[in-house]
Structure formats: structure tokens, C-alpha cells
Amino acid sequence: QSALTQPPSVSGSPGQSVTISCTGTSSDVGGYDRVSWYQQQQPPGTAPKVIIYAVSNRPSGVPDRFSGSKSGNTASLTISRLQTEDEAFYYCSSYTNIYTLVFGGGTYLTVL
Amino acid sequence: QVQLQESAPGLVKPSETLSLMCNVSGGSFTTYYWSWIRQPPGKGLEYIGSIHSSGSTNYNPSLKSRVTISIDTSNNQFSLRLTSMTAADTAVYYCARIHPYYYGVDVWGQGTTVTVSS
């Protein structure tokens, strides 16, 4: 299984919005509404935290500034009203047609 | 609330076998998928494999020949064995719970660092 494709980095200013894409195939992202997004704060080795599940659902406690969507083989995470504490790595994951989980390569968000 | 805690082997020699255990506390052990995920230094997350509470397993095809995940439902534990370790297997290893409905990780262990070195 190949990793899902994410941009290595994105940036934005406080108050702005950014969108991170996650591109797969019809065997994973495009075939199932089972895409999740995770935030991993520094330092490296800190356990990730789920911020979006099932494409567009937010767990309790996650601000509504975080939203998810999907079109075809590409899922997207949008972060609105950027805050400095949003600076982190973001990873997507998807269920696959061979009953496994596949992750994206990760995107680092810089809040300028 | 459910908590996951990995054992901590730390250092493994090349060609040896890694054995890790994850203790699950504070929640139901049934229904869910229990998984191992790793993160090499400076790199992204990699799914290793998972086991359902019923005992069925699924593995990353790239690691399948070297991986065994087992479960002990009576003690709320599951384990990872990864054979023929090399330096490329140096990583933080996380145990994690995968939700059966949307197949995403909803609970992570804190992670344990495994270094492969002689």
C-alpha cells in the first residue's frame, strides 16, 4: 500500500484559513468515508490526537475551526481562524480495500 | 476512559526480534481493533498491523512477512513481534485503538522508542 499524498508544508497567518489535502486512490480515500485527520504537536514522539474522523466529524473538545471534507480520491482538512497553537504536524489516514489503515506523509503547518 | 500503555524494550540488536506489549485499561476490550503504528525519527506515521478482539489480524503488506500481532483478552493486552530487526526499524512504536465504524485511531498510547543497534 502506498502512503497517501500530502503537501510537506503549508503556512498561514493568525486569523487566516488553510487547507491541507490528502490524495489517495479509489482503493482507499475514494472508496470509503473512513478518512481521519490527526494533529501531532512537538516535540517529536508526542502521540497524535484525532481531530476529524469519518471525513468530516469532530470529536468532542475539538474546536469547530477544524473541518474536513472529501471529493473523489482527495480529502481535505481546513483550519479556519488560525491560532499560533495550531502549529503542528497534520496526518490523514484512510481505511483500505485490503482491510488495513494507510497514512499520509504528513504536513507541517507554520503559523506565521 | 480507556488508556493504552506500551512496554519499553528500548534497545534491540540487529537481526533480533522486537517484542512489545500494550496494556489496555479503563474501557471495553471487545468490538475494537487494536493496532501498532510506528514513526521513524523525522518521518511520518506507518501502520504496522491490527488485531480485532475476535482475533482476526491485518498487516501492512510491506511488513507482513516479519510481523505477528496477538491478543490476550483475559488480561486486556495485545502484543507485537517484529523479526529480523534492522536499523530501518528504529522508531517510536505506538499502540492504538481503531474504531470499528470509521476505522480511524481514536486512542493512542504514549509511544515507546525502539532503537536497533549493536
Side-chain angles (χ1 to χ4, degrees):
Chain A
Q1 59 188 40
S2 299
L4 306 176
T5 301
Q6 296 182 233
S9 63
V10 296
S11 63
S13 300
Q16 290 185 332
S17 296
V18 295
T19 296
I20 300 171
S21 61
C22 169
T23 301
T25 69
S26 58
S27 297
D28 38 63
V29 173
Y32 310 93
D33 287 336
R34 291 176 163 180
V35 175
S36 295
W37 288 91
Y38 312 90
Q39 179 190 64
Q40 186 177 39
Q41 299 276 10
Q42 298 280 28
T46 302
K49 163 192 164 186
V50 60
I51 54 173
I52 295 288
Y53 66 92
V55 176
S56 59
N57 295 274
R58 275 179 292 105
S60 60
V62 174
D64 61 5
R65 302 185 296 105
F66 293 87
S67 62
S69 62
K70 192 186 85 166
S71 177
N73 295 337
T74 298
S76 298
L77 171 70
T78 298
I79 309 172
S80 306
R81 304 187 299 280
L82 274 175
Q83 300 182 1
T84 54
E85 57 262 37
D86 297 333
E87 190 160 293
F89 279 99
Y90 292 85
Y91 294 91
C92 60
S93 75
S94 174
Y95 180 70
T96 79
N97 66 342
I98 56 171
Y99 316 109
T100 61
L101 190 67
V102 63
F103 287 96
T107 299
Y108 191 73
L109 167 63
T110 301
V111 182
L112 304 167
Chain B
Q1 66 187 39
V2 63
Q3 291 186 314
L4 282 63
Q5 178 66 58
E6 303 92 347
S7 58
L11 186 65
V12 178
K13 289 183 168 55
S15 79
E16 291 190 342
T17 295
L18 170 68
S19 293
L20 287 176
M21 182 174 293
C22 183
N23 288 295
V24 180
S25 61
S28 172
F29 203 62
T30 57
T31 306
Y32 291 93
Y33 294 88
W34 303 95
S35 70
W36 291 95
I37 294 161
R38 70 181 183 179
Q39 186 172 32
K43 296 189 177 180
L45 301 167
E46 181 180 33
Y47 170 82
I48 298 171
S50 59
I51 187 165
H52 189 261
S53 53
S54 65
S56 65
T57 55
N58 291 291
Y59 300 128
N60 184 328
S62 67
L63 298 169
K64 188 173 183 176
S65 64
R66 299 195 292 133
V67 174
T68 303
I69 296 176
S70 57
I71 197 166
D72 180 357
T73 53
S74 59
N75 289 306
N76 282 13
Q77 296 175 331
F78 63 104
S79 301
L80 169 70
R81 284 186 78 248
L82 184 61
T83 62
S84 305
M85 294 283 282
T86 71
D89 296 312
T90 293
V92 175
Y93 284 74
Y94 297 99
C95 62
R97 188 180 81 172
I98 292 178
H99 195 283
Y101 168 63
Y102 59 83
Y103 215 81
V105 177
D106 62 351
V107 182
W108 296 78
Q110 65 182 29
T112 186
T113 299
V114 174
T115 302
V116 182
S117 174
S118 55

